[in-house]
Amino acid sequence: MTTGSWAPPTHTEQLLYEAGARGDRAAVLDALGRTRLHVLVARLHADVPDFARPLPSRRDTSARRTVVPVLTEGMLPPWHAEWVFRQTTLDRLASAWPNDRWWLAVNPDTPFAATLPARPADRRAWQEAAERGGGPARLRLLTHAGEHLHGPVAHALALGAHLAVLNGLVWNALGAHYEDYPTDIARLRHPWAVHHRADFRDKLRTLTATRLVGRVPETVLGIRRRLAARLGAAPTDEQWAKEVTAAFDRDDPYGEDRAEAAEFLRRITHYEERFRAEGLLPPGGRVDTLAAFDHGRAVNVVRLALGARYCDPAEAQDSVLRVLEAARRTYDSWEAFSLGYLLARLIHFDEGDPEPVYQESLTLHRVLTQDPFSPYRNIPWS
């Protein structure tokens, strides 16, 4: 669907356009109740600790009223070093609204605009719409039609699609932010311990070299690869376990890693059996490396660093392309890449009740490998 020379960047803008064309304010509210909204902030102000900037407002001279402009995800302008965005939602706007006579202007001056009155009764309707919609959705594939869809940069960004789908964020953009400016900074600080540009570059090198996915589980998988090459066939689980025990007895004289290796071997065997039962792996199929977990996270760290202004778009693009080079040396298909990512995620979060993590991971894999609009279905691996 297009509107003259405009095409809706994401599904949200399409819903807003269709609802506006019908004059259906309830549908507009329903669409807004399920999406993130973004408010422009000068970076100078955003960097001041505990600075509570009021909502921006401007005079709409043609309508003769004051409006608060906000943007949906697909309508953010290009990256700028000194202008950033903070995220909000319809119910949060309702709670913090400063003036009953002001109006909410969503995507002003575009075909995907919606202008809403903000009297107390109207704001109660906003909150009801947000409650019905449940807020911004997770576990969804969100593609920006105006961003990278094909070619090497799109391929590189698709390596990070598991986390984008998990959080309901656009997978294919190198733009104004990943989630929003303060969140991008916070996510870099924890868990990545990235506080500035030099930290970012160090962490990116470490992830691209797959040094964070775990030495012990990668060693356990490497033992099976080498054993299979020596035998000329896939080893049995008993042969693999015996080889792992012998290797760690030889190379781990103090026994510090032996118990961990045995536990990772158990987890890997367990989840590969489940993958075969689900049809994700063929009979006898296996996952040879967990490198995808670091490659996928590396792409997301780049996107976070771009949002935090620890790099610029040119450096971000070069960075994700370097991650792509490493991933293509390691894997030969999207399916193999995705299963490597999933297995790493599962064996590292196999604590307490792991079933919710398994089902969530299964959903991620199926969305990316089966949705006809997924980059894994539309971008050739090689």
Side-chain angles (χ1 to χ4, degrees):
M1 188 271 293
T2 61
T3 60
S5 61
W6 289 70
T10 76
H11 185 57
T12 297
E13 290 79 35
Q14 180 175 334
L15 292 177
L16 288 174
Y17 177 79
E18 292 171 349
R22 298 193 306 268
D24 188 343
R25 182 165 289 180
V28 169
L29 289 180
D30 283 342
L32 295 177
R34 298 193 298 269
T35 193
R36 295 174 173 86
L37 300 170
H38 304 276
V39 177
L40 181 68
V41 183
R43 185 179 166 196
L44 178 68
H45 294 153
D47 285 339
V48 176
D50 301 321
F51 178 78
R53 186 184 187 281
L55 287 170
S57 63
R58 64 178 176 84
R59 188 67 180 168
D60 182 342
T61 55
S62 61
R64 298 171 65 184
R65 59 192 174 210
T66 299
V67 300
V68 172
V70 299
L71 300 175
T72 54
E73 186 73 29
M75 299 307 295
L76 296 175
W79 185 94
H80 190 286
E82 300 304 331
W83 289 97
V84 299
F85 288 86
R86 61 181 174 88
Q87 183 185 151
T88 188
T89 56
L90 197 59
D91 57 335
R92 283 158 57 187
L93 285 170
S95 298
W97 199 257
N99 190 312
D100 292 351
R101 299 180 64 184
W102 291 4
W103 287 52
L104 177 64
V106 181
N107 301 332
D109 306 316
T110 76
F112 317 111
T115 307
L116 303 172
R119 295 160 299 194
D122 299 311
R123 300 199 301 275
R124 285 194 294 272
W126 297 2
Q127 292 173 318
E128 290 167 3
E131 185 175 347
R132 284 195 307 272
R138 296 174 71 253
L139 289 174
R140 63 168 179 164
L141 177 69
L142 187 61
T143 300
H144 192 304
E147 295 287 349
H148 303 278
L149 297 172
H150 304 284
V153 176
H155 191 162
L157 291 172
L159 300 176
H162 289 89
L163 276 170
V165 170
L166 176 66
N167 294 303
L169 301 171
V170 168
W171 69 265
N172 64 324
L174 285 174
H177 63 234
Y178 185 36
E179 189 162 345
D180 76 345
Y181 181 68
T183 306
D184 293 350
I185 291 174
R187 287 192 175 186
L188 284 172
R189 289 177 178 169
H190 180 77
W192 295 114
V194 170
H195 298 85
H196 46 67
R197 182 184 295 264
D199 282 347
F200 156 60
R201 290 174 172 170
D202 286 344
K203 193 66 65 178
L204 180 61
R205 281 193 292 268
T206 300
L207 284 165
T208 305
T210 66
R211 293 200 294 267
L212 293 184
V213 73
R215 176 182 57 82
V216 173
E218 275 290 87
T219 299
V220 169
L221 287 173
I223 289 169
R224 182 173 61 178
R225 287 197 309 273
R226 291 188 293 274
L227 181 59
R230 191 167 74 237
L231 297 175
T236 65
D237 290 345
E238 292 75 16
Q239 289 173 316
W240 182 24
K242 182 178 178 181
E243 197 79 5
V244 168
T245 299
F248 279 86
D249 281 345
R250 181 183 65 248
D251 301 331
D252 182 30
Y254 299 105
E256 295 175 352
D257 295 330
R258 267 178 281 177
E260 188 178 2
E263 176 60 18
F264 275 124
L265 189 147
R266 182 197 67 79
R267 294 181 185 184
I268 292 166
T269 302
H270 169 71
Y271 285 114
E272 285 185 334
E273 287 175 355
R274 294 197 70 174
F275 287 172
R276 295 185 196 102
E278 299 277 3
L280 307 184
L281 275 174
R286 65 180 194 252
V287 175
D288 280 337
T289 174
L290 308 175
F293 198 52
D294 277 359
H295 293 152
R297 293 187 298 171
V299 168
N300 284 276
V301 164
V302 172
R303 295 186 65 190
L304 289 168
L306 181 63
R309 280 29 181 198
Y310 295 164
C311 67
D312 60 27
E315 182 180 354
Q317 182 167 307
D318 289 343
S319 297
V320 298
L321 289 175
R322 286 197 298 274
V323 179
L324 174 62
E325 290 175 7
R328 292 182 69 180
R329 288 194 298 268
T330 307
Y331 293 96
D332 60 6
S333 71
W334 283 116
E335 288 76 11
F337 176 85
S338 185
L339 288 175
Y341 187 97
L342 258 62
L343 183 59
R345 187 172 191 260
L346 290 167
I347 67 172
H348 285 299
F349 294 105
D350 189 86
E351 306 291 344
D353 179 11
E355 190 60 23
V357 178
Y358 179 80
Q359 294 301 328
E360 185 178 72
S361 300
L362 194 63
T363 299
L364 291 174
H365 180 76
R366 285 180 167 159
V367 166
L368 287 168
T369 58
Q370 297 178 13
D371 189 306
F373 298 103
S374 166
Y376 292 14
R377 298 288 300 275
N378 293 284
I379 300 173
W381 180 264
S382 56

